[in-house]
């Protein structure tokens, strides 16, 4: 069976409408105000639904371990012991939180630990506006109970040290100042 294709028109070969469609987008964006910021000195505020670094409240936590059970990658470590205390003249058995650690380097910020928390208000939440967790040492991303409770923000960028100028490279040779 022989299939006959229609003969191409000259407009199909020399039609610039596709190019003008792309240029239309370029020209439209050319005159809009730019949104570029100088990042280390200026920072954008994340959206309200942004899931940032953990915040933990020792006073609200009832040591139920539901957040550790809800974590799909098991990065929350909780140690609890039972203690007898007198409350209103009666001896009650209470859970006391000994350890609450989070290994943030493996966290995927899924917020399942926050959803599993039964306390109102939550004892753990991910709605802090911190998104700068970069560090040179992996051990800096392992947070204990005290670090999580008093978490404010990473230290601000202070700029490069101005001790000595960078060495110049010329044609593959390093110029050594004399």
């Amino acid at each position: 069976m022989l299939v006959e294709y229609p003969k191409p028109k000259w407009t199909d070969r020399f039609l610039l409408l596709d190019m003008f469609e792309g240029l239309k987008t370029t020209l439209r964006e050319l005159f809009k105000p730019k949104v570029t910021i100088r990042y280390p000195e200026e920072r954008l505020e994340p959206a309200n639904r942004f899931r940032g670094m953990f915040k933990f409240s020792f006073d609200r936590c009832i040591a139920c371990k539901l957040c550790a059970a809800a974590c799909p990658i098991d990065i929350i470590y909780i140690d609890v012991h039972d203690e007898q205390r007198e409350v209103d003249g009666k001896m009650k058995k209470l859970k006391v939180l000994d350890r609450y650690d989070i290994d943030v380097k493996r966290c995927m910020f899924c917020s399942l630990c926050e959803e599993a928390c039964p306390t109102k208000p939550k004892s753990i939440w991910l709605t802090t506006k911190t998104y700068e967790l970069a560090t040179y040492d992996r051990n800096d991303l392992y947070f204990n109970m005290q670090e999580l409770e008093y978490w404010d923000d990473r230290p601000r960028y202070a700029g490069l040290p101005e001790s000595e100028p960078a060495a110049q490279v010329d044609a593959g040779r390093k110029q050594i100042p004399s």
Side-chain angles (χ1 to χ4, degrees):
M1 175 181 214
L2 186 61
V3 178
E4 291 187 24
Y5 294 103
K7 187 174 179 182
K9 300 177 189 174
W10 68 273
T11 57
D12 291 339
R13 293 183 187 169
F14 191 69
L15 192 60
L16 299 176
L17 291 178
D18 294 335
M19 187 174 75
F20 288 137
E21 188 70 29
L23 283 175
K24 181 176 74 173
T25 303
T26 303
L27 290 173
R28 184 176 60 232
E29 295 295 323
L30 184 65
F31 298 108
K32 284 187 178 179
K34 308 301 181 262
V35 293
T36 304
I37 61 166
R38 298 177 54 85
Y39 168 64
E41 293 85 19
E42 303 171 18
R43 290 181 166 87
L44 289 176
E45 186 72 19
N48 289 335
R49 297 183 336 173
F50 176 75
R51 286 182 249 164
M53 180 56 190
F54 294 93
K55 187 86 170 174
F56 175 72
S57 176
F58 178 76
D59 298 330
R60 297 178 193 165
C61 186
I62 59 174
C64 63
K65 297 185 181 181
L66 288 176
C67 54
C71 183
I73 50 179
D74 297 328
I75 62 165
I76 300 175
Y77 307 103
I78 300 175
D79 286 337
V80 176
H81 74 273
D82 293 332
E83 194 171 282
Q84 293 283 346
R85 290 191 184 166
E86 187 174 335
V87 178
D88 298 331
K90 295 182 181 179
M91 293 299 287
K92 286 199 171 184
K93 187 170 145 182
L94 298 174
K95 291 182 181 179
V96 179
L97 189 63
D98 295 328
R99 173 184 172 205
Y100 193 96
D101 297 344
I102 295 179
D103 190 6
V104 178
K105 69 180 171 240
R106 293 183 2 199
C107 183
M108 55 187 178
F109 297 95
C110 63
S111 186
L112 291 176
C113 57
E114 180 180 359
E115 292 174 13
C117 185
T119 60
K120 299 284 187 228
K122 303 285 186 188
S123 62
I124 185 167
W125 61 98
L126 283 88
T127 54
T128 60
K129 300 295 182 182
T130 305
Y131 52 87
E132 298 168 326
L133 295 175
T135 181
Y136 288 107
D137 188 16
R138 288 184 176 190
N139 294 328
D140 292 342
L141 295 174
Y142 190 85
F143 294 102
N144 62 19
M145 187 172 15
Q146 288 79 22
E147 291 172 331
L148 289 170
E149 189 164 8
Y150 299 112
W151 177 267
D152 287 329
D153 202 1
R154 284 278 185 189
R156 296 289 182 194
Y157 176 74
L160 295 174
E162 297 183 23
S163 58
E164 66 179 58
Q168 294 180 359
V169 177
D170 184 34
R173 295 189 191 127
K174 185 176 180 180
Q175 299 292 325
I176 301 173
S178 52

